[in-house]
Protein backbone atom coordinates (compact mmCIF):
# COMPACT_ATOMS: atom_id res chain seq x y z
CA UNK A 1 0.00 0.00 0.00
CA UNK A 2 2.81 2.45 0.89
CA UNK A 3 4.55 1.77 -2.41
CA UNK A 4 1.37 2.42 -4.40
CA UNK A 5 0.76 5.71 -2.53
CA UNK A 6 4.35 6.75 -3.18
CA UNK A 7 3.97 5.95 -6.90
CA UNK A 8 0.73 7.93 -6.98
CA UNK A 9 2.40 10.95 -5.37
CA UNK A 10 5.29 10.77 -7.83
CA UNK A 11 2.82 10.49 -10.71
CA UNK A 12 0.89 13.51 -9.48
CA UNK A 13 4.08 15.49 -9.03
CA UNK A 14 5.20 14.54 -12.55
CA UNK A 15 1.84 15.61 -14.04
CA UNK A 16 2.01 18.91 -12.15
CA UNK A 17 5.56 19.49 -13.38
CA UNK A 18 4.45 18.72 -16.93
CA UNK A 19 1.68 21.31 -16.61
CA UNK A 20 -1.17 18.82 -16.24
CA UNK A 21 -2.93 19.71 -13.00
CA UNK A 22 -4.07 17.04 -10.60
CA UNK A 23 -7.88 17.12 -10.49
CA UNK A 24 -8.59 18.08 -6.89
CA UNK A 25 -12.26 18.28 -7.75
CA UNK A 26 -12.60 14.71 -9.08
CA UNK A 27 -15.20 13.80 -6.43
CA UNK A 28 -17.08 17.12 -6.44
CA UNK A 29 -20.59 16.67 -7.81
CA UNK A 30 -21.99 19.11 -10.36
CA UNK A 31 -24.18 21.99 -9.23
CA UNK A 32 -27.91 21.23 -9.44
CA UNK A 33 -30.97 23.46 -9.16
CA UNK A 34 -31.92 21.77 -5.88
CA UNK A 35 -28.61 22.58 -4.18
CA UNK A 36 -28.99 25.02 -1.29
CA UNK A 37 -25.64 26.75 -1.03
CA UNK A 38 -24.73 27.79 2.51
CA UNK A 39 -21.49 29.58 1.64
CA UNK A 40 -20.48 31.10 -1.69
CA UNK A 41 -16.88 32.05 -2.39
CA UNK A 42 -15.87 34.53 -5.09
CA UNK A 43 -12.51 35.60 -6.45
CA UNK A 44 -11.56 39.28 -6.76
CA UNK A 45 -12.45 39.58 -10.47
CA UNK A 46 -15.64 37.48 -10.19
CA UNK A 47 -14.64 34.88 -12.78
CA UNK A 48 -14.61 32.01 -10.25
CA UNK A 49 -17.33 31.15 -7.76
CA UNK A 50 -17.37 28.12 -5.49
CA UNK A 51 -20.03 27.10 -2.99
CA UNK A 52 -20.81 24.48 -0.41
CA UNK A 53 -24.00 22.73 0.68
CA UNK A 54 -22.38 21.82 4.02
CA UNK A 55 -24.38 23.23 6.92
CA UNK A 56 -21.27 23.32 9.10
CA UNK A 57 -17.53 23.02 8.47
CA UNK A 58 -15.52 19.95 9.44
CA UNK A 59 -12.80 22.20 10.86
CA UNK A 60 -12.46 25.97 11.03
CA UNK A 61 -9.65 28.12 12.22
CA UNK A 62 -6.44 29.95 11.54
CA UNK A 63 -3.07 28.79 10.32
CA UNK A 64 0.23 30.58 10.60
CA UNK A 65 2.53 28.01 8.98
CA UNK A 66 4.99 29.31 6.40
CA UNK A 67 3.10 27.82 3.44
CA UNK A 68 -0.24 29.38 4.43
CA UNK A 69 1.40 32.75 5.12
CA UNK A 70 3.02 32.81 1.71
CA UNK A 71 -0.09 31.59 -0.09
CA UNK A 72 -2.43 34.06 1.60
CA UNK A 73 0.00 36.97 1.68
CA UNK A 74 -0.88 37.45 5.34
CA UNK A 75 0.53 36.53 8.73
CA UNK A 76 -2.53 34.41 9.43
CA UNK A 77 -4.69 32.44 7.01
CA UNK A 78 -8.32 31.76 7.85
CA UNK A 79 -10.23 28.77 6.47
CA UNK A 80 -13.24 26.54 6.92
CA UNK A 81 -12.83 22.93 5.78
CA UNK A 82 -15.78 21.20 4.12
CA UNK A 83 -16.21 17.66 2.81
CA UNK A 84 -15.26 17.41 -0.90
CA UNK A 85 -18.69 16.04 -1.78
CA UNK A 86 -20.31 19.23 -0.39
CA UNK A 87 -18.36 21.57 -2.68
CA UNK A 88 -19.91 22.93 -5.88
CA UNK A 89 -18.23 24.83 -8.70
CA UNK A 90 -20.75 27.54 -9.52
CA UNK A 91 -18.82 29.19 -12.34
CA UNK A 92 -15.36 29.58 -13.82
CA UNK A 93 -13.91 26.09 -13.64
CA UNK A 94 -11.93 26.97 -16.78
CA UNK A 95 -10.34 29.88 -14.87
CA UNK A 96 -9.09 27.73 -11.98
CA UNK A 97 -5.36 27.20 -11.75
CA UNK A 98 -3.77 24.61 -9.50
CA UNK A 99 -0.47 24.63 -7.69
CA UNK A 100 1.14 22.23 -5.27
CA UNK A 101 4.44 22.14 -3.45
CA UNK A 102 3.72 18.56 -2.48
CA UNK A 103 1.03 16.04 -3.42
CA UNK A 104 -0.66 16.22 -0.01
CA UNK A 105 -1.76 19.86 -0.46
CA UNK A 106 -3.13 21.20 -3.73
CA UNK A 107 -4.23 24.83 -3.90
CA UNK A 108 -6.51 26.44 -6.46
CA UNK A 109 -6.63 30.06 -7.53
CA UNK A 110 -8.24 32.25 -10.18
CA UNK A 111 -5.94 32.56 -13.18
CA UNK A 112 -7.47 35.94 -14.00
CA UNK A 113 -6.86 37.84 -10.75
CA UNK A 114 -4.72 35.42 -8.74
CA UNK A 115 -7.13 35.14 -5.79
CA UNK A 116 -6.44 32.02 -3.72
CA UNK A 117 -9.79 30.23 -3.54
CA UNK A 118 -9.34 26.92 -1.74
CA UNK A 119 -6.96 24.10 -1.06
CA UNK A 120 -7.33 20.40 -0.53
CA UNK A 121 -5.67 18.33 2.16
CA UNK A 122 -6.47 15.07 3.90
CA UNK A 123 -8.77 17.15 6.18
CA UNK A 124 -11.04 18.15 3.28
CA UNK A 125 -11.35 21.22 1.08
CA UNK A 126 -10.44 24.44 2.83
CA UNK A 127 -12.46 27.44 1.71
CA UNK A 128 -10.60 30.68 2.35
CA UNK A 129 -12.89 32.87 4.46
CA UNK A 130 -11.73 36.09 2.81
CA UNK A 131 -13.45 34.92 -0.38
CA UNK A 132 -16.86 34.40 1.26
CA UNK A 133 -19.50 36.53 -0.50
CA UNK A 134 -21.73 36.20 2.54
CA UNK A 135 -19.26 37.46 5.16
CA UNK A 136 -22.09 37.72 7.71
CA UNK A 137 -22.01 33.92 8.07
CA UNK A 138 -18.69 34.32 9.91
CA UNK A 139 -20.66 35.85 12.81
CA UNK A 140 -22.34 32.46 13.24
CA UNK A 141 -20.36 30.47 15.86
CA UNK A 142 -20.69 27.43 13.60
CA UNK A 143 -18.59 29.14 10.87
CA UNK A 144 -16.51 31.66 12.87
CA UNK A 145 -12.83 30.67 12.49
CA UNK A 146 -12.00 32.46 15.76
CA UNK A 147 -14.09 29.83 17.54
CA UNK A 148 -12.22 27.07 15.80
CA UNK A 149 -8.75 25.67 16.14
CA UNK A 150 -5.33 27.01 15.41
CA UNK A 151 -4.62 24.68 12.53
CA UNK A 152 -0.87 25.13 12.84
CA UNK A 153 -0.10 25.98 16.45
CA UNK A 154 -2.32 27.86 18.85
CA UNK A 155 0.63 29.56 20.53
CA UNK A 156 1.98 30.95 17.25
CA UNK A 157 -1.42 32.19 16.12
CA UNK A 158 -2.14 33.84 19.49
CA UNK A 159 1.28 35.52 19.50
CA UNK A 160 0.74 36.83 15.95
CA UNK A 161 -2.70 38.17 16.81
CA UNK A 162 -1.42 39.77 20.02
CA UNK A 163 1.46 41.46 18.13
CA UNK A 164 -0.90 42.63 15.38
CA UNK A 165 -3.34 44.19 17.87
CA UNK A 166 -0.51 45.81 19.85
CA UNK A 167 0.98 47.42 16.73
CA UNK A 168 -2.43 48.78 15.67
CA UNK A 169 -3.14 50.29 19.10
CA UNK A 170 0.18 52.19 19.21
Amino acid sequence: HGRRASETRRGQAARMAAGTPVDIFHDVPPLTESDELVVICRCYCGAVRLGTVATEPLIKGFCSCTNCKRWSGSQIASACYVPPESLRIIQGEEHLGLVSQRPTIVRCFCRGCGSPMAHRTSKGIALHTGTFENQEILADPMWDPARGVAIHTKEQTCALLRNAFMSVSR
Side-chain angles (χ1 to χ4, degrees), residues 29-48:
L31 182 66
T32 66
E33 286 185 29
S34 64
D35 285 335
E36 292 186 35
L37 298 172
V38 177
V39 172
I40 297 173
C41 302
R42 177 188 168 278
C43 69
Y44 182 72
C45 71
V48 176

mmCIF file with all atom_site columns, all heavy atoms in Angstrom, residues 29-48:
data_model
loop_
_atom_site.group_PDB
_atom_site.id
_atom_site.type_symbol
_atom_site.label_atom_id
_atom_site.label_alt_id
_atom_site.label_comp_id
_atom_site.label_asym_id
_atom_site.label_entity_id
_atom_site.label_seq_id
_atom_site.pdbx_PDB_ins_code
_atom_site.Cartn_x
_atom_site.Cartn_y
_atom_site.Cartn_z
_atom_site.occupancy
_atom_site.B_iso_or_equiv
_atom_site.pdbx_formal_charge
_atom_site.auth_seq_id
_atom_site.auth_comp_id
_atom_site.auth_asym_id
_atom_site.auth_atom_id
_atom_site.pdbx_PDB_model_num
ATOM 1   N N   . PRO A 1 29 ? -19.448 16.817 -6.907  1.00 0.00 ? 29 PRO A N   1
ATOM 2   C CA  . PRO A 1 29 ? -20.592 16.667 -7.807  1.00 0.00 ? 29 PRO A CA  1
ATOM 3   C C   . PRO A 1 29 ? -20.935 17.978 -8.511  1.00 0.00 ? 29 PRO A C   1
ATOM 4   O O   . PRO A 1 29 ? -20.610 19.057 -8.018  1.00 0.00 ? 29 PRO A O   1
ATOM 5   C CB  . PRO A 1 29 ? -21.740 16.232 -6.888  1.00 0.00 ? 29 PRO A CB  1
ATOM 6   C CG  . PRO A 1 29 ? -21.293 16.482 -5.509  1.00 0.00 ? 29 PRO A CG  1
ATOM 7   C CD  . PRO A 1 29 ? -19.815 16.711 -5.509  1.00 0.00 ? 29 PRO A CD  1
ATOM 8   N N   . PRO A 1 30 ? -21.591 17.886 -9.658  1.00 0.00 ? 30 PRO A N   1
ATOM 9   C CA  . PRO A 1 30 ? -21.987 19.112 -10.360 1.00 0.00 ? 30 PRO A CA  1
ATOM 10  C C   . PRO A 1 30 ? -23.083 19.858 -9.597  1.00 0.00 ? 30 PRO A C   1
ATOM 11  O O   . PRO A 1 30 ? -23.845 19.264 -8.843  1.00 0.00 ? 30 PRO A O   1
ATOM 12  C CB  . PRO A 1 30 ? -22.501 18.608 -11.709 1.00 0.00 ? 30 PRO A CB  1
ATOM 13  C CG  . PRO A 1 30 ? -22.870 17.176 -11.480 1.00 0.00 ? 30 PRO A CG  1
ATOM 14  C CD  . PRO A 1 30 ? -21.989 16.682 -10.367 1.00 0.00 ? 30 PRO A CD  1
ATOM 15  N N   . LEU A 1 31 ? -23.157 21.150 -9.829  1.00 0.00 ? 31 LEU A N   1
ATOM 16  C CA  . LEU A 1 31 ? -24.179 21.993 -9.230  1.00 0.00 ? 31 LEU A CA  1
ATOM 17  C C   . LEU A 1 31 ? -25.537 21.643 -9.828  1.00 0.00 ? 31 LEU A C   1
ATOM 18  O O   . LEU A 1 31 ? -25.667 21.463 -11.032 1.00 0.00 ? 31 LEU A O   1
ATOM 19  C CB  . LEU A 1 31 ? -23.859 23.468 -9.510  1.00 0.00 ? 31 LEU A CB  1
ATOM 20  C CG  . LEU A 1 31 ? -24.801 24.517 -8.930  1.00 0.00 ? 31 LEU A CG  1
ATOM 21  C CD1 . LEU A 1 31 ? -24.731 24.515 -7.410  1.00 0.00 ? 31 LEU A CD1 1
ATOM 22  C CD2 . LEU A 1 31 ? -24.438 25.891 -9.475  1.00 0.00 ? 31 LEU A CD2 1
ATOM 23  N N   . THR A 1 32 ? -26.550 21.507 -8.970  1.00 0.00 ? 32 THR A N   1
ATOM 24  C CA  . THR A 1 32 ? -27.907 21.233 -9.443  1.00 0.00 ? 32 THR A CA  1
ATOM 25  C C   . THR A 1 32 ? -28.834 22.339 -8.951  1.00 0.00 ? 32 THR A C   1
ATOM 26  O O   . THR A 1 32 ? -28.499 23.078 -8.026  1.00 0.00 ? 32 THR A O   1
ATOM 27  C CB  . THR A 1 32 ? -28.433 19.874 -8.925  1.00 0.00 ? 32 THR A CB  1
ATOM 28  O OG1 . THR A 1 32 ? -28.569 19.952 -7.495  1.00 0.00 ? 32 THR A OG1 1
ATOM 29  C CG2 . THR A 1 32 ? -27.502 18.729 -9.303  1.00 0.00 ? 32 THR A CG2 1
ATOM 30  N N   . GLU A 1 33 ? -30.003 22.432 -9.558  1.00 0.00 ? 33 GLU A N   1
ATOM 31  C CA  . GLU A 1 33 ? -30.971 23.461 -9.156  1.00 0.00 ? 33 GLU A CA  1
ATOM 32  C C   . GLU A 1 33 ? -31.459 23.263 -7.725  1.00 0.00 ? 33 GLU A C   1
ATOM 33  O O   . GLU A 1 33 ? -31.859 24.217 -7.066  1.00 0.00 ? 33 GLU A O   1
ATOM 34  C CB  . GLU A 1 33 ? -32.161 23.462 -10.117 1.00 0.00 ? 33 GLU A CB  1
ATOM 35  C CG  . GLU A 1 33 ? -31.831 24.074 -11.456 1.00 0.00 ? 33 GLU A CG  1
ATOM 36  C CD  . GLU A 1 33 ? -33.045 24.187 -12.355 1.00 0.00 ? 33 GLU A CD  1
ATOM 37  O OE1 . GLU A 1 33 ? -34.175 24.320 -11.841 1.00 0.00 ? 33 GLU A OE1 1
ATOM 38  O OE2 . GLU A 1 33 ? -32.849 24.146 -13.576 1.00 0.00 ? 33 GLU A OE2 1
ATOM 39  N N   . SER A 1 34 ? -31.426 22.036 -7.236  1.00 0.00 ? 34 SER A N   1
ATOM 40  C CA  . SER A 1 34 ? -31.925 21.767 -5.883  1.00 0.00 ? 34 SER A CA  1
ATOM 41  C C   . SER A 1 34 ? -30.883 22.038 -4.791  1.00 0.00 ? 34 SER A C   1
ATOM 42  O O   . SER A 1 34 ? -31.205 22.003 -3.611  1.00 0.00 ? 34 SER A O   1
ATOM 43  C CB  . SER A 1 34 ? -32.418 20.324 -5.789  1.00 0.00 ? 34 SER A CB  1
ATOM 44  O OG  . SER A 1 34 ? -31.336 19.435 -5.989  1.00 0.00 ? 34 SER A OG  1
ATOM 45  N N   . ASP A 1 35 ? -29.645 22.311 -5.176  1.00 0.00 ? 35 ASP A N   1
ATOM 46  C CA  . ASP A 1 35 ? -28.605 22.585 -4.183  1.00 0.00 ? 35 ASP A CA  1
ATOM 47  C C   . ASP A 1 35 ? -28.887 23.886 -3.442  1.00 0.00 ? 35 ASP A C   1
ATOM 48  O O   . ASP A 1 35 ? -29.137 24.920 -4.053  1.00 0.00 ? 35 ASP A O   1
ATOM 49  C CB  . ASP A 1 35 ? -27.230 22.695 -4.848  1.00 0.00 ? 35 ASP A CB  1
ATOM 50  C CG  . ASP A 1 35 ? -26.663 21.354 -5.250  1.00 0.00 ? 35 ASP A CG  1
ATOM 51  O OD1 . ASP A 1 35 ? -27.043 20.341 -4.637  1.00 0.00 ? 35 ASP A OD1 1
ATOM 52  O OD2 . ASP A 1 35 ? -25.829 21.318 -6.176  1.00 0.00 ? 35 ASP A OD2 1
ATOM 53  N N   . GLU A 1 36 ? -28.857 23.820 -2.121  1.00 0.00 ? 36 GLU A N   1
ATOM 54  C CA  . GLU A 1 36 ? -28.987 25.016 -1.291  1.00 0.00 ? 36 GLU A CA  1
ATOM 55  C C   . GLU A 1 36 ? -27.599 25.365 -0.773  1.00 0.00 ? 36 GLU A C   1
ATOM 56  O O   . GLU A 1 36 ? -27.091 24.730 0.143   1.00 0.00 ? 36 GLU A O   1
ATOM 57  C CB  . GLU A 1 36 ? -29.958 24.764 -0.143  1.00 0.00 ? 36 GLU A CB  1
ATOM 58  C CG  . GLU A 1 36 ? -31.389 24.596 -0.614  1.00 0.00 ? 36 GLU A CG  1
ATOM 59  C CD  . GLU A 1 36 ? -32.375 24.501 0.546   1.00 0.00 ? 36 GLU A CD  1
ATOM 60  O OE1 . GLU A 1 36 ? -32.156 25.180 1.576   1.00 0.00 ? 36 GLU A OE1 1
ATOM 61  O OE2 . GLU A 1 36 ? -33.333 23.740 0.395   1.00 0.00 ? 36 GLU A OE2 1
ATOM 62  N N   . LEU A 1 37 ? -26.996 26.369 -1.382  1.00 0.00 ? 37 LEU A N   1
ATOM 63  C CA  . LEU A 1 37 ? -25.640 26.753 -1.032  1.00 0.00 ? 37 LEU A CA  1
ATOM 64  C C   . LEU A 1 37 ? -25.627 27.573 0.251   1.00 0.00 ? 37 LEU A C   1
ATOM 65  O O   . LEU A 1 37 ? -26.335 28.571 0.373   1.00 0.00 ? 37 LEU A O   1
ATOM 66  C CB  . LEU A 1 37 ? -25.000 27.537 -2.174  1.00 0.00 ? 37 LEU A CB  1
ATOM 67  C CG  . LEU A 1 37 ? -24.875 26.748 -3.484  1.00 0.00 ? 37 LEU A CG  1
ATOM 68  C CD1 . LEU A 1 37 ? -24.420 27.657 -4.611  1.00 0.00 ? 37 LEU A CD1 1
ATOM 69  C CD2 . LEU A 1 37 ? -23.924 25.578 -3.329  1.00 0.00 ? 37 LEU A CD2 1
ATOM 70  N N   . VAL A 1 38 ? -24.836 27.129 1.213   1.00 0.00 ? 38 VAL A N   1
ATOM 71  C CA  . VAL A 1 38 ? -24.734 27.788 2.512   1.00 0.00 ? 38 VAL A CA  1
ATOM 72  C C   . VAL A 1 38 ? -23.690 28.901 2.438   1.00 0.00 ? 38 VAL A C   1
ATOM 73  O O   . VAL A 1 38 ? -23.894 29.990 2.958   1.00 0.00 ? 38 VAL A O   1
ATOM 74  C CB  . VAL A 1 38 ? -24.372 26.766 3.608   1.00 0.00 ? 38 VAL A CB  1
ATOM 75  C CG1 . VAL A 1 38 ? -24.184 27.440 4.953   1.00 0.00 ? 38 VAL A CG1 1
ATOM 76  C CG2 . VAL A 1 38 ? -25.429 25.679 3.686   1.00 0.00 ? 38 VAL A CG2 1
ATOM 77  N N   . VAL A 1 39 ? -22.580 28.619 1.799   1.00 0.00 ? 39 VAL A N   1
ATOM 78  C CA  . VAL A 1 39 ? -21.492 29.578 1.640   1.00 0.00 ? 39 VAL A CA  1
ATOM 79  C C   . VAL A 1 39 ? -21.157 29.666 0.159   1.00 0.00 ? 39 VAL A C   1
ATOM 80  O O   . VAL A 1 39 ? -21.097 28.649 -0.524  1.00 0.00 ? 39 VAL A O   1
ATOM 81  C CB  . VAL A 1 39 ? -20.238 29.137 2.432   1.00 0.00 ? 39 VAL A CB  1
ATOM 82  C CG1 . VAL A 1 39 ? -19.047 30.017 2.114   1.00 0.00 ? 39 VAL A CG1 1
ATOM 83  C CG2 . VAL A 1 39 ? -20.508 29.138 3.925   1.00 0.00 ? 39 VAL A CG2 1
ATOM 84  N N   . ILE A 1 40 ? -20.932 30.886 -0.312  1.00 0.00 ? 40 ILE A N   1
ATOM 85  C CA  . ILE A 1 40 ? -20.484 31.096 -1.691  1.00 0.00 ? 40 ILE A CA  1
ATOM 86  C C   . ILE A 1 40 ? -19.184 31.886 -1.624  1.00 0.00 ? 40 ILE A C   1
ATOM 87  O O   . ILE A 1 40 ? -19.090 32.901 -0.922  1.00 0.00 ? 40 ILE A O   1
ATOM 88  C CB  . ILE A 1 40 ? -21.539 31.861 -2.517  1.00 0.00 ? 40 ILE A CB  1
ATOM 89  C CG1 . ILE A 1 40 ? -22.810 31.021 -2.615  1.00 0.00 ? 40 ILE A CG1 1
ATOM 90  C CG2 . ILE A 1 40 ? -20.997 32.199 -3.903  1.00 0.00 ? 40 ILE A CG2 1
ATOM 91  C CD1 . ILE A 1 40 ? -23.981 31.725 -3.263  1.00 0.00 ? 40 ILE A CD1 1
ATOM 92  N N   . CYS A 1 41 ? -18.180 31.399 -2.337  1.00 0.00 ? 41 CYS A N   1
ATOM 93  C CA  . CYS A 1 41 ? -16.878 32.054 -2.392  1.00 0.00 ? 41 CYS A CA  1
ATOM 94  C C   . CYS A 1 41 ? -16.704 32.665 -3.781  1.00 0.00 ? 41 CYS A C   1
ATOM 95  O O   . CYS A 1 41 ? -17.122 32.075 -4.766  1.00 0.00 ? 41 CYS A O   1
ATOM 96  C CB  . CYS A 1 41 ? -15.758 31.048 -2.155  1.00 0.00 ? 41 CYS A CB  1
ATOM 97  S SG  . CYS A 1 41 ? -15.894 30.185 -0.589  1.00 0.00 ? 41 CYS A SG  1
ATOM 98  N N   . ARG A 1 42 ? -16.062 33.828 -3.831  1.00 0.00 ? 42 ARG A N   1
ATOM 99  C CA  . ARG A 1 42 ? -15.873 34.528 -5.092  1.00 0.00 ? 42 ARG A CA  1
ATOM 100 C C   . ARG A 1 42 ? -14.466 35.104 -5.136  1.00 0.00 ? 42 ARG A C   1
ATOM 101 O O   . ARG A 1 42 ? -13.982 35.659 -4.145  1.00 0.00 ? 42 ARG A O   1
ATOM 102 C CB  . ARG A 1 42 ? -16.900 35.648 -5.195  1.00 0.00 ? 42 ARG A CB  1
ATOM 103 C CG  . ARG A 1 42 ? -16.801 36.523 -6.393  1.00 0.00 ? 42 ARG A CG  1
ATOM 104 C CD  . ARG A 1 42 ? -17.771 37.712 -6.222  1.00 0.00 ? 42 ARG A CD  1
ATOM 105 N NE  . ARG A 1 42 ? -17.552 38.730 -7.184  1.00 0.00 ? 42 ARG A NE  1
ATOM 106 C CZ  . ARG A 1 42 ? -16.623 39.679 -7.115  1.00 0.00 ? 42 ARG A CZ  1
ATOM 107 N NH1 . ARG A 1 42 ? -15.802 39.725 -6.102  1.00 0.00 ? 42 ARG A NH1 1
ATOM 108 N NH2 . ARG A 1 42 ? -16.510 40.572 -8.045  1.00 0.00 ? 42 ARG A NH2 1
ATOM 109 N N   . CYS A 1 43 ? -13.833 35.004 -6.288  1.00 0.00 ? 43 CYS A N   1
ATOM 110 C CA  . CYS A 1 43 ? -12.513 35.602 -6.453  1.00 0.00 ? 43 CYS A CA  1
ATOM 111 C C   . CYS A 1 43 ? -12.657 37.114 -6.641  1.00 0.00 ? 43 CYS A C   1
ATOM 112 O O   . CYS A 1 43 ? -13.770 37.631 -6.799  1.00 0.00 ? 43 CYS A O   1
ATOM 113 C CB  . CYS A 1 43 ? -11.780 34.976 -7.636  1.00 0.00 ? 43 CYS A CB  1
ATOM 114 S SG  . CYS A 1 43 ? -12.493 35.390 -9.247  1.00 0.00 ? 43 CYS A SG  1
ATOM 115 N N   . TYR A 1 44 ? -11.560 37.819 -6.666  1.00 0.00 ? 44 TYR A N   1
ATOM 116 C CA  . TYR A 1 44 ? -11.560 39.276 -6.762  1.00 0.00 ? 44 TYR A CA  1
ATOM 117 C C   . TYR A 1 44 ? -12.227 39.766 -8.053  1.00 0.00 ? 44 TYR A C   1
ATOM 118 O O   . TYR A 1 44 ? -13.009 40.710 -8.035  1.00 0.00 ? 44 TYR A O   1
ATOM 119 C CB  . TYR A 1 44 ? -10.116 39.784 -6.678  1.00 0.00 ? 44 TYR A CB  1
ATOM 120 C CG  . TYR A 1 44 ? -9.990  41.280 -6.726  1.00 0.00 ? 44 TYR A CG  1
ATOM 121 C CD1 . TYR A 1 44 ? -10.371 42.057 -5.641  1.00 0.00 ? 44 TYR A CD1 1
ATOM 122 C CD2 . TYR A 1 44 ? -9.478  41.913 -7.848  1.00 0.00 ? 44 TYR A CD2 1
ATOM 123 C CE1 . TYR A 1 44 ? -10.261 43.439 -5.672  1.00 0.00 ? 44 TYR A CE1 1
ATOM 124 C CE2 . TYR A 1 44 ? -9.360  43.289 -7.890  1.00 0.00 ? 44 TYR A CE2 1
ATOM 125 C CZ  . TYR A 1 44 ? -9.747  44.045 -6.802  1.00 0.00 ? 44 TYR A CZ  1
ATOM 126 O OH  . TYR A 1 44 ? -9.641  45.406 -6.840  1.00 0.00 ? 44 TYR A OH  1
ATOM 127 N N   . CYS A 1 45 ? -11.914 39.119 -9.190  1.00 0.00 ? 45 CYS A N   1
ATOM 128 C CA  . CYS A 1 45 ? -12.453 39.585 -10.469 1.00 0.00 ? 45 CYS A CA  1
ATOM 129 C C   . CYS A 1 45 ? -13.840 39.024 -10.769 1.00 0.00 ? 45 CYS A C   1
ATOM 130 O O   . CYS A 1 45 ? -14.502 39.474 -11.703 1.00 0.00 ? 45 CYS A O   1
ATOM 131 C CB  . CYS A 1 45 ? -11.493 39.273 -11.614 1.00 0.00 ? 45 CYS A CB  1
ATOM 132 S SG  . CYS A 1 45 ? -11.374 37.521 -12.060 1.00 0.00 ? 45 CYS A SG  1
ATOM 133 N N   . GLY A 1 46 ? -14.300 38.047 -10.002 1.00 0.00 ? 46 GLY A N   1
ATOM 134 C CA  . GLY A 1 46 ? -15.638 37.482 -10.190 1.00 0.00 ? 46 GLY A CA  1
ATOM 135 C C   . GLY A 1 46 ? -15.728 36.354 -11.196 1.00 0.00 ? 46 GLY A C   1
ATOM 136 O O   . GLY A 1 46 ? -16.812 35.825 -11.445 1.00 0.00 ? 46 GLY A O   1
ATOM 137 N N   . ALA A 1 47 ? -14.610 35.954 -11.777 1.00 0.00 ? 47 ALA A N   1
ATOM 138 C CA  . ALA A 1 47 ? -14.635 34.882 -12.784 1.00 0.00 ? 47 ALA A CA  1
ATOM 139 C C   . ALA A 1 47 ? -14.911 33.514 -12.168 1.00 0.00 ? 47 ALA A C   1
ATOM 140 O O   . ALA A 1 47 ? -15.512 32.653 -12.805 1.00 0.00 ? 47 ALA A O   1
ATOM 141 C CB  . ALA A 1 47 ? -13.314 34.846 -13.554 1.00 0.00 ? 47 ALA A CB  1
ATOM 142 N N   . VAL A 1 48 ? -14.464 33.305 -10.919 1.00 0.00 ? 48 VAL A N   1
ATOM 143 C CA  . VAL A 1 48 ? -14.614 32.006 -10.252 1.00 0.00 ? 48 VAL A CA  1
ATOM 144 C C   . VAL A 1 48 ? -15.526 32.147 -9.047  1.00 0.00 ? 48 VAL A C   1
ATOM 145 O O   . VAL A 1 48 ? -15.374 33.068 -8.244  1.00 0.00 ? 48 VAL A O   1
ATOM 146 C CB  . VAL A 1 48 ? -13.247 31.442 -9.796  1.00 0.00 ? 48 VAL A CB  1
ATOM 147 C CG1 . VAL A 1 48 ? -13.418 30.146 -9.028  1.00 0.00 ? 48 VAL A CG1 1
ATOM 148 C CG2 . VAL A 1 48 ? -12.322 31.237 -10.984 1.00 0.00 ? 48 VAL A CG2 1
#
